[in-house]
Amino acid sequence: MFIAAFTCSPTYDTKTRTMPEHLNGVHPEQSFHWSEAEELRAYGLMLLIRRFEEKAAQLYAMGEIAALPLLAIGQEAVAAGVSLAARSDDEVLISSSRPHGFMLARGVEPELLMNALMSQDTDTAVTTASAALHMQLLKPVGAHKPSSELRHQLSETSARLAANAGPQQAAIWAVGEGSETHLEGIEAAHAQRWPLVFVVENASVATPEFGVCTAGPTALYQRSRDAGTACVHVKGLDVRAVQAAAATALDQARQGGGPTLLEIMTYRYQGHANSTSAPARASQRRDETDPIAKARARIARLGGGIATEARLKEV
């Protein structure tokens, strides 16, 4: 069972633009100096994930996909930013119930993935492609999976990484919104200093103010921090902030600094193909809360000409 631990918190002060006291330091001001090429790469990854999930929702509505797909429309900066920070030989373990973004960002062909959704068969071509891209697809960790099994999986992964020749590798564990059964594995990773980065998506139900998510930390974050694990909140509406935080955590893991839990503060416009909340959320200021719209605006400012618009249309 996934945690529903988002606390009711004060919103961003629209007059003073100050952060609620309990969120001081969660969204530090950062200066990024990405080139147009870097912005376009991130924009392309996020747009691919968005269009894929929009098409999956359409196909479900048409009856082409039998099972209700869990979507993460609005959270594309998480998978894109983390994947941009990772090396091609870093392992990615996915136990999230919304895996499409990470799979696409790491290079799984969209045709393979969509065919798997339509056929309900993820054990053939998609699994083979994922293995070639250093990905393991795991069942979402919940109440049905004992924490000891999770710890065993983490131990096996860490031992394999340690045995590999060449540069130190790290692993990313995408756990979605997190589950209490992740805690024992996180504590074990901290005690053994395993080269792991846990990615938790705090998908706020509160509409962001001026592009800032102000949900309270999850119980998993709080308990992991209290146990001594390095825990960082990340501005999840900006792909650049996600990439920077993930790069720092991965470097720390590779250098023997142990695991980091990244709780990425994000916002989901549409969680299921038939989400009843989608119409209400669609009316929000997308230019302030949508990572894709924000990236497009930055690219337009960087280029500011017909050539830039043509490149955006190509994407």
Side-chain angles (χ1 to χ4, degrees):
M1 182 173 63
F2 286 96
I3 298 174
F6 309 123
T7 61
C8 182
S9 61
T11 58
Y12 188 73
D13 190 321
T14 58
K15 294 181 179 179
T16 65
R17 296 200 174 198
T18 57
M19 197 65 63
E21 184 177 351
H22 79 285
L23 285 177
N24 283 340
V26 171
H27 297 282
E29 291 300 320
Q30 292 174 282
S31 296
F32 301 103
H33 303 284
W34 278 24
S35 66
E36 186 182 58
E38 289 172 316
E39 289 277 17
L40 281 168
R41 183 185 178 196
Y43 176 72
L45 279 179
M46 291 191 292
L47 197 60
L48 170 64
I49 297 167
R50 173 71 58 84
R51 294 291 178 257
F52 180 92
E53 293 211 323
E54 288 174 341
K55 179 57 68 174
Q58 181 186 32
L59 290 172
Y60 171 76
M62 295 170 60
E64 298 292 335
I65 295 177
L68 181 67
L70 295 179
L71 308 178
I73 292 178
Q75 297 176 236
E76 295 83 3
V78 179
V82 171
S83 296
L84 286 170
R87 297 193 317 220
S88 60
D89 60 343
D90 287 331
E91 291 208 26
V92 177
L93 313 174
I94 305 175
S95 60
S96 168
S97 56
R98 294 175 171 84
H100 312 127
F102 275 96
M103 296 174 72
L104 292 167
R106 289 292 284 182
V108 171
E109 290 294 329
E111 293 87 352
L112 287 175
L113 190 52
M114 190 65 78
N115 285 335
L117 286 178
M118 296 178 71
S119 67
Q120 300 304 300
D121 180 9
T122 58
D123 295 327
T124 52
V126 171
T127 301
T128 302
S130 299
L133 296 165
H134 302 285
M135 280 192 293
Q136 291 187 55
L137 307 180
L138 309 172
K139 292 182 179 179
V141 177
H144 65 282
K145 183 184 287 288
S147 55
S148 59
E149 184 177 340
L150 169 63
R151 185 172 60 181
H152 178 69
Q153 290 171 333
L154 293 176
S155 178
E156 279 192 338
T157 298
S158 300
R160 184 170 59 257
L161 293 178
N164 287 337
Q168 177 70 40
Q169 289 177 267
I172 298 159
W173 191 297
V175 301
E177 293 179 8
S179 165
E180 289 187 27
T181 52
H182 286 101
L183 183 63
E184 185 176 339
I186 293 171
E187 290 176 338
H190 172 70
Q192 301 297 322
R193 303 185 75 80
W194 289 333
L196 290 164
V197 175
F198 294 86
V199 178
V200 179
E201 296 171 80
N202 187 335
S204 173
V205 295
T207 305
E209 296 284 351
F210 294 98
V212 178
C213 296
T214 57
T218 62
L220 182 62
Y221 176 96
Q222 292 172 318
R223 293 182 64 186
S224 298
R225 181 193 57 195
D226 292 344
T229 300
C231 295
V232 179
H233 274 124
V234 184
K235 199 173 183 177
L237 301 181
D238 189 336
V239 66
R240 301 169 304 172
V242 177
Q243 189 275 340
T248 299
L250 285 165
D251 284 343
Q252 175 178 302
R254 292 189 190 102
Q255 295 167 13
T260 299
L261 185 148
L262 300 179
E263 180 160 285
I264 303 180
M265 314 298 282
T266 185
Y267 180 73
R268 187 162 61 238
Y269 286 99
Q270 188 173 353
H272 297 79
N274 64 346
S275 172
T276 55
S277 62
R281 296 188 174 194
S283 65
Q284 303 299 334
R285 292 286 302 274
R286 295 292 282 263
D287 58 336
E288 293 181 349
T289 61
D290 188 332
I292 296 177
K294 289 162 73 73
R296 185 183 178 92
R298 290 195 303 268
I299 295 167
R301 288 195 297 270
L302 281 172
I306 296 175
T308 297
E309 187 62 29
R311 282 191 286 272
L312 286 167
K313 287 183 178 179
E314 284 182 12
V315 175

